[in-house]
Amino acid sequence: MDDGRRALVLGGGGQTGIAWMYGLVAGLAADGIDLTGADLVVGTSAGSVVGANLAAGRDPQDLLQAQLAPPHGEIAANLGLKLAVRIGLTALGGSREARRVRARIGSFALGADTVPESERLAAIEARLAGAGWPAVRDLWITAVDAHTGAFRVFTRDESIPLATAVAASCAVPGVWPPVSADGTRWIDGGVRSMANADLAAGYGRAVVLAPMSGGIGSAASPRVQAEALAALGRVAYVEPDRRARRAFGRNVLDPARRPAAARAGRAQAADVAAEIARVWDRGAPGRGTSHGGA
């Protein structure tokens, strides 16, 4: 039953995913569709950065323009095929029970040679520009305990700073260092799911933006999670279209790809605006799942 509450789910996808989501949200805003009015924002990995800035009340147009400028304070990294294969083999190298799979990936992450944790945290703080936990709406940031594989949702009700929670959610195994908080170390929330869209199950309307449509091992894909949500309420699911995928290139962590990805998201907004409006606008007719960009 549609209770009128709205959830915005923002998935993982690296630097290009951040830029694409900013472009998409800005394009929708220009068409009068304000996704920043969500009652709940769920952010995973790249989506945690976007969610934190949107929940802080930042203008989507300003966020888009920042993606078109030269990247300052960002650390170059490469999420290539070799690393993806290593993570995949780690996931498959033992018990298939989800938490144990995540713990194995966490162990791999803990042993990886990365930049110092303090350097990575400074880069995340620069992205958030001092934003703290919002008081107006709920912001949920996802992460995984690197030692136990336990899934965690960080909220404003805890003592963990927002930048720390976001850094944890963005800690791609083998690329970025696990983040220290609450007596343990945390890795990317995308290890559990690239979008964790199932967290929006209690909301009557949801928009799911998924820069990466796959998942690690047997983890449910964003699309599958969105389809499950559609049985409970109105859902619009959007993944990058062909132009956006070309803009992303082969390395989603490359800051140089941000402008093209942002422009692609801005252009794609026109194609998905009508369906998102039917889901998002209160009182709009229709029910179901949009698969924009599929």
Side-chain angles (χ1 to χ4, degrees):
M1 183 175 180
D2 187 351
D3 65 0
R5 294 187 304 160
R6 301 179 295 183
L8 175 61
V9 178
L10 304 165
Q15 294 263 9
T16 57
I18 290 173
W20 175 76
M21 286 187 282
Y22 282 148
L24 196 61
V25 173
L28 292 169
D31 283 338
I33 305 166
D34 181 16
L35 295 184
T36 68
D39 300 289
L40 168 69
V41 177
V42 177
T44 293
S45 198
S48 70
V49 176
V50 177
N53 278 317
L54 293 178
R58 300 222 160 94
D59 187 337
Q61 307 303 329
D62 292 340
L63 294 169
L64 169 59
Q65 289 304 311
Q67 297 300 300
L68 303 178
H72 297 297
E74 293 292 347
I75 307 169
N78 184 23
L79 182 60
L81 178 60
K82 183 177 179 180
L83 177 59
V85 169
R86 287 193 65 187
I87 294 174
L89 291 175
T90 300
L92 296 174
S95 169
R96 302 299 175 87
E97 192 274 323
R99 181 163 169 168
R100 292 185 179 182
V101 170
R102 297 195 296 263
R104 286 199 301 274
I105 296 172
S107 179
F108 164 72
L110 289 165
D113 183 18
T114 68
V115 300
E117 186 178 340
S118 58
E119 185 176 342
R120 175 60 175 165
L121 184 57
I124 295 297
E125 289 172 341
R127 289 183 189 177
L128 302 187
W133 289 101
V136 176
R137 60 183 49 82
D138 288 330
L139 172 63
W140 294 356
I141 304 297
T142 67
V144 168
D145 189 316
H147 293 284
T148 68
F151 179 62
R152 175 79 170 268
V153 177
F154 293 113
T155 73
R156 64 169 173 261
D157 297 327
E158 303 163 67
S159 59
I160 297 171
L162 178 58
T164 300
V166 170
S169 191
C170 291
V172 180
V175 177
W176 305 123
V179 172
S180 304
D182 202 20
T184 188
R185 300 187 74 190
W186 303 91
I187 59 173
D188 200 310
V191 172
R192 191 253 185 182
S193 163
M194 278 297 173
N196 293 294
D198 56 320
L199 295 179
Y203 290 73
R205 301 162 187 259
V207 168
V208 180
L209 306 185
M212 296 182 73
S213 57
I216 296 174
S218 61
S221 71
R223 177 189 289 274
V224 168
Q225 290 184 330
E227 289 173 346
L229 287 178
L232 305 174
R234 299 179 181 179
V235 178
Y237 168 81
V238 184
E239 62 187 42
D241 60 14
R242 186 174 302 174
R243 171 179 173 174
R245 291 194 296 270
R246 287 198 302 266
F248 286 11
R250 295 183 178 181
N251 179 20
V252 298
L253 299 181
D254 183 359
R257 309 294 301 190
R258 296 190 330 183
R263 293 188 184 98
R266 179 65 177 81
Q268 188 176 350
D271 296 330
V272 299
E275 185 61 33
I276 289 181
R278 282 193 288 271
V279 169
W280 199 248
D281 292 345
R282 301 181 193 276
R287 178 188 174 98
T289 307
S290 163
H291 296 287

